[in-house]
């Protein structure tokens, strides 16, 4: 619980920071406070059965691991003697509504390490150790041990919801943590409390004596505003000495002076009830009973900073995948592939965060070493966990890279932020860009070839259309007189269309014309000249020759076109199809040009 109303007093010093603020920091956690928070999210029987509090803890650890935030779990030890009265009073208050059986059970919970809450703490410790998080069992109060580590600068802050952590000497306290909406934490700095409110550690202890907390019931009838005014009046340097020597009589004197000022200003006989300090004369004048309270805050029983227990807690512990799989299967019934398995290398849930943590450690080491001497990537004493960059990615609008890992507990690939790659191994980005540029150069010569194939396919389709049109026209041409030695100019000769290519048709179009003027001119001259089309030649030559009557009578096949026939043999349908053919030929010619 801590000190009554202390969080309200410190509200103006609260800061909301992004979760990213904990990157590369070492933070100790009052594990009891975390478990109480997670348990209060859902107090139903289903939440206890499904281990929802433990799943919430797992998600918190997973998010902080990815930031390379080193955690130290700190648990409560034995209950301090000065706190036993408060502890019994809380248990009795909780048993007033229960029967005798439940009352005996509640009393047993205080002494039995197998209680429900103690079992929750054991499960949390086992989960943390599987994830490489050390645990330090406190001598008495867990928040006191956290405050000692923070005060000795062995960590960068501590998580606790007990406000008396400041009274034990903590400098940076994180009260709440939220993983949704981008993630954030609420932070309180002792420097801000001293600057904004004027309260140092001694003043906060004095507030605990006046307002009440785990070690004292406080002064009845004294509100937080009055208590703050009394402490400010005396000052941080002398307030504890006043309490130890005079008890709370100094508070009564201070209140009497304030009460007189109020009466003089307002000319009223009635005073705010909070201005009255109730208590026996002996209680107000004797300060011996408060010395024990002050010493409990100033000199708590904890593991010293130089002890072996603290030394072991500060060491780095490896991640145990096999143990984590056992715990997750036992508590959550998760299959092995969810927490990482060699059989399912792309379905891990925790391994990508472990790999990201290792990369952040490498980046932090490289940034620290660069202050002394700048070393290239290949000369770093620790090997970079990233083997290569596969391709760029975007996750929720954030630039990322998909990378291949090297010896990260069987993990093959995962996606990490681009800024992390830039800070840890920017050489990998340069290598990736060079590979991608070389790949583009190799693909460039193939582009015209692909374009040519498309043009060829298009030409083939047009050629087929042309052949179909020619065949259709050929069916409509009237049969030639077998006695005639020539084919009229306006008639298309029978030919093997499979031997005619589109290029030949286009090249011969200028010479093999269906123009009506050419036929008219040939008719007027009266000469028996014919155009001969060689279908095997890409550029047909125009030749003329006369045929003898003997050749006419022989009935041989004549492969010439007679230009001397009149235009009356052509039907209207033939004219229409001829115009269509000329239009198609003109379209093909203009398209190729």
């Amino acid at each position: 619980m801590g000190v009554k109303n202390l969080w309200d007093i410190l509200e103006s010093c609260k800061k909301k920071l992004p979760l990213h603020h904990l990157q590369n920091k070492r933070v100790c956690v009052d594990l009891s406070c975390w478990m109480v928070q997670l348990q209060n999210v859902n107090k139903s029987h289903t939440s206890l059965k499904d281990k929802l509090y433990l799943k919430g803890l797992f998600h918190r650890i997973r998010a902080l691991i990815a930031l390379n935030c080193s955690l130290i779990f700190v648990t409560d030890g034995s209950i301090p003697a000065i706190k036993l009265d408060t502890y019994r009073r809380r248990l009795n208050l909780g048993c007033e509504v229960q029967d005798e059986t439940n009352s005996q059970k509640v009393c047993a919970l205080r002494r039995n390490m197998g209680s429900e809450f103690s079992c929750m703490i054991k499960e949390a410790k086992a989960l943390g150790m599987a994830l490489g998080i050390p645990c330090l069992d406190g001598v008495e109060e867990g928040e006191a041990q956290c405050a000692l580590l923070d005060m000795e600068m062995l960590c960068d802050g501590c998580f606790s919801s007990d406000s008396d952590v400041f009274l034990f000497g903590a400098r940076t306290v994180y009260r709440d943590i939220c993983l949704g909406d981008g993630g954030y934490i609420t932070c309180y700095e002792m420097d801000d409390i001293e600057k904004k409110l004027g309260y140092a550690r001694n003043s906060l202890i004095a507030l605990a004596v006046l307002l009440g907390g785990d070690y004292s019931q406080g002064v009845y009838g004294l509100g937080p505003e009055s208590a703050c005014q009394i402490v400010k009046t005396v000052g941080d340097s002398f307030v504890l000495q006043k309490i130890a020597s005079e008890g709370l009589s100094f508070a009564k004197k201070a209140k009497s002076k304030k009460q007189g000022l109020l009466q003089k200003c307002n000319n009223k006989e009635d005073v705010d009830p909070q201005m009255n300090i109730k208590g026996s004369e002996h209680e107000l004048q004797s300060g011996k009973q408060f010395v024990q309270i002050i010493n409990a805050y100033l000199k708590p029983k904890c593991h010293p900073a130089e002890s072996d227990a603290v030394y072991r807690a500060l060491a780095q512990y490896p991640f145990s995948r096999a143990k984590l799989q056992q715990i997750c299967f036992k508590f959550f019934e998760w299959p092995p592939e969810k927490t990482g398995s060699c059989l399912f290398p792309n379905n891990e849930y925790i391994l990508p965060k472990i790999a990201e943590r290792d990369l952040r450690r490498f980046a932090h080491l490289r940034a620290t070493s660069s202050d002394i001497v700048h070393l290239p990537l290949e000369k770093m004493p620790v090997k970079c966990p990233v083997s290569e960059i596969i391709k760029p990615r975007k996750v929720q609008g954030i630039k990322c890279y998909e990378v291949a890992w090297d010896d990260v507990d069987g993990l093959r690939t995962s996606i990490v932020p681009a800024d992390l790659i830039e800070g840890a191994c920017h050489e990998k980005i340069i290598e990736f860009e060079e590979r991608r540029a070389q790949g583009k150069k190799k693909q460039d010569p193939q582009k015209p070839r692909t374009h040519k194939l498309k043009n060829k396919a298009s030409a083939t389709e047009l050629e087929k259309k042309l052949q179909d049109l020619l065949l259709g026209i050929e069916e409509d041409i009237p049969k030639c007189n077998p006695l005639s030695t020539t084919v009229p100019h306006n008639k298309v000769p029978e030919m093997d269309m499979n031997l005619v290519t589109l290029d030949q048709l286009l090249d011969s179009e200028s010479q093999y014309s269906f123009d009506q003027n050419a036929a008219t001119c040939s008719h007027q001259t009266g000469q028996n000249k014919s155009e001969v089309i060689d279908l095997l030649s890409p550029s047909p030559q125009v030749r003329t020759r006369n045929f003898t009557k003997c050749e006419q009578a022989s009935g041989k096949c004549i492969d010439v076109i007679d230009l001397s026939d009149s235009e009356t043999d052509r039907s209207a349908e033939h004219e229409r199809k001829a115009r269509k053919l000329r239009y198609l030929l003109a379209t093909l010619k203009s398209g190729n040009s």
Side-chain angles (χ1 to χ4, degrees), residues 35-78:
M35 297 310 294
V36 170
Q37 289 177 351
L38 295 169
Q39 187 184 23
N40 289 337
V41 173
N42 194 340
K43 294 184 178 180
S44 64
H45 175 71
T46 306
S47 65
L48 297 177
K49 182 180 178 181
D50 296 340
K51 308 290 184 182
L52 295 182
Y53 58 89
L54 206 58
K55 289 181 181 180
L57 178 65
F58 181 82
H59 294 312
R60 283 190 182 186
I61 297 173
R62 179 176 174 268
L64 294 176
I65 280 178
L67 297 174
N68 189 29
C69 178
S70 301
L71 299 177
I72 302 175
F73 284 168
V74 180
T75 61
D76 292 324
S78 59

Side-chain angles (χ1 to χ4, degrees), residues 437-547:
Q438 292 177 0
K440 287 184 178 180
K441 289 181 180 178
K442 292 180 180 178
Q443 294 177 359
D444 287 342
Q446 297 179 1
K447 290 183 179 179
R449 183 179 179 183
T450 305
H451 184 65
K452 187 176 181 181
L453 291 174
K454 292 181 179 179
N455 291 340
K456 186 176 181 180
S458 178
T460 304
E461 294 177 0
L462 293 175
E463 182 179 353
K464 186 176 182 302
K465 292 180 180 180
L466 178 61
Q467 290 178 1
D468 294 340
L469 183 58
L470 289 175
L471 290 174
I473 296 175
E474 188 176 14
E475 291 176 357
D476 295 336
I477 295 177
K479 297 296 182 180
C480 297
N481 189 352
L483 298 178
S484 177
T485 58
T486 60
V487 180
H489 175 268
N490 60 343
K491 306 296 187 292
V492 178
E494 294 181 2
M495 62 186 75
D496 187 4
M497 294 306 295
N498 293 328
L499 301 178
V500 181
T501 64
L502 178 62
D503 295 333
Q504 291 172 345
L505 288 173
L506 294 176
D507 293 338
S508 63
E509 191 272 336
S510 61
Q511 298 177 4
Y512 183 74
S513 174
F514 291 108
D515 197 332
Q516 184 176 357
N517 295 330
T520 305
C521 180
S522 174
H523 179 72
Q524 290 176 356
T525 56
Q527 296 179 356
N528 211 13
K529 296 181 180 180
S530 304
E531 277 184 282
V532 181
I533 300 178
D534 185 4
L535 297 179
L536 299 178
S537 173
S539 300
Q541 302 294 330
V542 178
R543 296 179 297 174
T544 60
R545 60 172 292 193
N546 295 326
F547 298 93

Side-chain angles (χ1 to χ4, degrees), residues 114-262:
S115 64
E116 186 178 84
F117 189 76
S118 298
C119 290
M120 292 170 58
I121 296 295
K122 290 179 182 178
E123 294 170 354
K125 289 170 61 177
L127 179 63
M129 292 179 66
L131 292 170
I133 299 175
C135 184
L136 177 61
D137 294 326
V139 178
E140 288 185 347
E141 299 279 37
E143 62 268 26
Q145 188 69 62
C146 291
L148 176 66
L149 297 178
D150 186 20
M151 186 171 53
E152 295 289 340
M153 302 183 68
L154 298 177
C155 65
D156 300 300
C158 54
F159 272 101
S160 180
S161 57
D162 287 338
S163 58
D164 54 3
V165 66
F166 295 104
L167 283 63
F168 290 116
R171 303 296 302 177
T172 303
V173 177
Y174 304 106
R175 184 183 180 187
D176 299 313
I177 178 172
C178 178
L179 303 182
D181 299 331
Y184 66 88
I185 52 175
T186 56
C187 176
Y188 297 82
E189 296 280 354
M190 195 63 190
D191 292 339
D192 297 336
I193 296 173
E194 293 174 354
K195 293 177 182 178
K196 293 182 179 180
L197 303 178
Y199 299 140
R201 184 180 179 184
N202 292 342
S203 298
L204 297 179
I205 294 175
L207 288 176
V209 174
L210 297 175
L211 297 176
D214 292 341
Y215 300 161
S216 64
Q217 298 185 30
V219 179
Y220 178 77
L222 190 65
E225 295 182 0
S226 301
C228 292
Q229 188 63 37
I230 292 173
V231 171
K232 285 184 178 180
T233 302
V234 179
D236 184 80
S237 303
F238 304 102
V239 65
L240 294 183
Q241 297 178 3
K242 285 279 188 180
I243 294 175
S245 60
E246 303 179 12
L248 297 181
S249 58
F250 81 96
K252 187 176 181 180
K253 295 177 182 178
K255 297 309 268 180
S256 299
K257 292 180 180 179
K258 188 174 182 180
Q259 180 178 351
L261 290 174
L262 287 175

Side-chain angles (χ1 to χ4, degrees), residues 29 136 203 270 390 421 480 578:
V29 178
L136 177 61
S203 298
D270 298 333
I390 299 176
I421 298 293
C480 297

Side-chain angles (χ1 to χ4, degrees), residues 322-421:
K323 187 179 294 185
L324 178 64
Q325 289 175 350
Q326 294 176 1
I327 293 175
C328 292
F329 183 76
K330 177 182 177 181
F331 294 146
F332 311 143
E333 297 182 357
W334 286 353
E337 59 267 23
K338 189 165 186 178
T339 52
S341 172
C342 295
L343 300 177
F344 302 90
N346 295 322
N347 295 328
E348 300 87 348
Y349 187 69
I350 189 64
L351 286 184
K353 300 302 180 183
I354 298 292
E356 190 173 339
R357 178 194 65 181
D358 294 344
L359 185 60
R360 290 192 186 277
R361 287 180 177 177
F362 180 82
H364 185 63
L365 175 63
R366 193 173 188 189
T368 304
S369 62
S370 63
D371 297 338
I372 303 174
V373 57
H374 181 72
L375 294 176
L377 186 64
E378 61 274 6
K379 292 186 178 181
M380 287 292 295
V382 179
K383 186 178 180 181
C384 179
V386 173
S387 60
E388 64 175 353
I389 297 176
I390 299 176
K391 59 182 177 180
R393 300 285 292 270
K394 266 197 173 183
V395 179
Q396 297 179 352
I398 301 175
K399 185 180 179 182
C400 300
Y401 285 108
E402 183 177 350
V403 301
W405 298 100
D406 187 12
D407 297 332
V408 184
D409 210 353
L411 180 64
R412 294 180 184 176
T413 62
S414 69
I415 300 174
V416 297
D419 57 348
L420 176 57
I421 298 293

